[in-house]
Amino acid sequence: MASPSALLWVPPRGPPSLSPSGCVHRGMVLFAACELGVFDLLAAVAARLGVSSRETELLLDACVSLKLLHVEVRREKAVYENTELASTYLARASPKSQQDMLLYTARTTFLCWGHLAAAVRWTGRTSYLKAFGVPSEDLFTAIYRSEGETPQAVRGLQDEWRLGGPRVVAAFDLSPFPLICDLGGGSGALAKACMSLYPGSQVTVSDIADVVQMAKRHFSFPEDERTGFCEGDFFKDSLPEPGLCILARVLRDWTGDKCSHLLVRTYQACKTRSPGTPGAECAKMDLPRLCKCMQGDVCEGAESVLFGTMHQGGTVTPSPCPVEMLVMKLLETAYGVLQIHCVHLWAALCPCD
Ligand SMILES: C[S@@+](CC[C@H](N)C(=O)[O-])C[C@H]1O[C@@H](n2cnc3c(N)ncnc32)[C@H](O)[C@@H]1O
């Protein structure tokens, strides 16, 4: 009997023929293989993919050349199985799976990349307009453009926290803060990481109503009094009044003015709980300084161009960079200043250290 991983049989053939010449080809192979469930199939039980044998073979060979699959010829048949990389990060059943992030990238980000030149040429408009017909002001209308896409996008964001949430949260000492609000908290994955590291903390996940409802439906939360939810628009509606506000991957979506507005509102919400905290001006001052110190390498530069054209962010500083996570620590009255602590998500997730 074939081993559980030796699942997909195709006619014998020569060495892998597709040799991707660049990132685009690699990305497309990876996205297609995820979309078709190749890695899930090879991780689970014998089954057929719903594509013709020749195309399947080409795709599988491409995955072999990208070191996502192993291939072996047994009894004149080619047998494919997942590499460790694919088992760990691409098969949906893996606790470290990044499949939803890849599918979101394929269905949304990649389409926007395809309109980069037009977006640059049409200053003031974004790729979302070209890709989905939605203007930049309605950024999240484009991302949450259908019932199916909303959970896909939020799951995609969750994937990164599943990988590095505990390490990111551990980059700060949040123990002095029993009441935390994760503003624009999406799936609540970071909230869960906080509660797990700080058993004494209560975390409120705040987001627009549709996302909060969807998160409650699709993601499980500890059934205790430590998890709260707050629905609303963080630019307009009243905010929870925590001791600490987390803004993870939120500010990069908005213009400098909107970020300042949000930071001031956040500050005021926290100030209610800590009346002695000094003026909100610090928030405005700290933002550009923060971004400046995080100017990055070529890849980040490329990402900034995309962000600048897809999102409203990127206009925050003259030399834009994606601020991945901010924790606003607003209760440090001892220091006499408003404190903003930040962590660069990719640095925190880097497996090298
Ligand atoms: C890039 S996502 C980051 C989500 C989450 N913080 C994370 O790191 O996974 C930005 C989040 O902000 C939320 N958001 C966008 N506009 C908002 C608004 N006006 N009011 C409240 N939340 C908003 C989105 O729904 C989304 O969950």
Side-chain angles (χ1 to χ4, degrees):
M1 200 173 118
S3 75
S5 54
L7 303 169
L8 206 66
W9 294 73
V10 295
R13 80 285 168 270
S17 53
L18 183 60
S19 164
S21 56
C23 295
V24 175
H25 295 164
R26 285 164 211 259
M28 297 318 278
V29 168
L30 185 55
F31 296 154
C34 283
E35 187 88 43
L36 292 168
V38 166
F39 308 108
D40 300 328
L41 187 64
L42 291 173
V45 292
R48 281 177 186 280
L49 291 179
V51 291
S52 79
S53 181
R54 181 177 164 274
E55 283 78 6
T56 303
E57 185 183 3
L58 288 172
L59 181 66
L60 295 181
D61 284 348
C63 289
V64 171
S65 73
L66 294 181
K67 299 191 171 32
L68 303 175
L69 298 181
H70 291 302
V71 64
E72 205 182 297
V73 178
R74 292 184 206 154
R75 292 185 196 160
E76 300 187 0
K77 302 268 189 188
V79 180
Y80 295 88
E81 59 186 327
N82 285 339
T83 59
E84 198 184 330
L85 180 87
S87 304
T88 309
Y89 297 110
L90 300 178
R92 184 172 287 283
S94 163
K96 292 184 174 177
S97 174
Q98 297 294 295
Q99 198 183 98
D100 283 309
M101 174 46 81
L102 287 165
L103 289 174
Y104 170 74
T105 306
R107 292 173 192 169
T108 299
T109 316
F110 219 73
L111 297 185
C112 291
W113 271 113
H115 298 287
L116 183 59
V120 170
R121 189 174 292 130
W122 299 355
T123 311
R125 302 207 187 173
T126 74
S127 313
Y128 283 115
L129 184 62
K130 273 271 183 187
F132 307 111
V134 179
S136 62
E137 295 74 34
D138 298 326
L139 167 63
F140 283 92
T141 310
I143 294 175
Y144 303 144
R145 60 192 173 278
S146 71
E147 261 187 41
E149 288 306 318
T150 306
Q152 179 67 64
V154 177
R155 278 206 183 92
L157 288 160
Q158 177 180 247
D159 275 356
E160 283 175 292
W161 291 130
R162 291 202 309 171
L163 210 55
R167 287 182 69 188
V168 169
V169 172
F172 306 92
D173 176 15
L174 305 184
S175 57
F177 304 103
L179 295 179
I180 296 175
C181 174
D182 189 3
L183 268 186
S187 70
L190 194 58
K192 283 184 222 165
C194 280
M195 286 187 280
S196 149
L197 193 63
Y198 301 103
S201 65
Q202 289 181 27
V203 186
T204 300
V205 180
S206 168
D207 212 297
I208 54 178
D210 284 355
V211 171
V212 170
Q213 290 303 326
M214 190 276 304
K216 285 185 187 168
R217 262 198 320 274
H218 289 263
F219 304 103
S220 63
F221 290 92
E223 286 183 19
D224 59 30
E225 291 166 354
R226 296 200 301 137
T227 319
F229 295 94
C230 173
E231 299 176 5
D233 181 335
F234 51 40
F235 290 117
K236 294 195 294 228
D237 297 327
S238 63
L239 300 176
E241 294 174 358
L244 174 97
C245 250
I246 295 177
L247 286 162
R249 301 189 282 186
V250 167
L251 294 181
R252 61 185 182 167
D253 292 333
W254 307 104
T255 59
D257 283 351
K258 283 199 162 175
C259 288
S260 292
H261 178 59
L262 183 56
L263 287 170
V264 169
R265 296 199 85 221
T266 308
Y267 165 75
Q268 281 162 347
C270 291
K271 195 171 146 196
T272 311
R273 219 157 254 289
S274 174
T277 314
E281 287 304 307
C282 308
K284 290 183 192 167
M285 278 163 26
D286 268 22
L287 185 62
R289 201 186 68 208
L290 185 74
C291 291
K292 201 155 185 248
C293 75
M294 292 172 69
Q295 284 169 16
D297 59 18
V298 175
C299 278
E300 285 175 16
E303 190 178 337
S304 290
V305 173
L306 186 65
F307 260 86
T309 54
M310 278 169 68
H311 301 222
Q312 295 177 12
T315 54
V316 173
T317 65
S319 184
C321 68
V323 178
E324 295 288 357
M325 172 168 174
L326 288 173
V327 171
M328 301 186 62
K329 204 173 168 188
L330 297 166
L331 290 184
E332 288 278 9
T333 43
Y335 292 110
V337 290
L338 174 116
Q339 299 245 324
I340 299 180
H341 291 238
C342 68
V343 87
H344 193 232
L345 184 62
W346 289 355
L349 295 183
C350 178
C352 307
D353 52 50

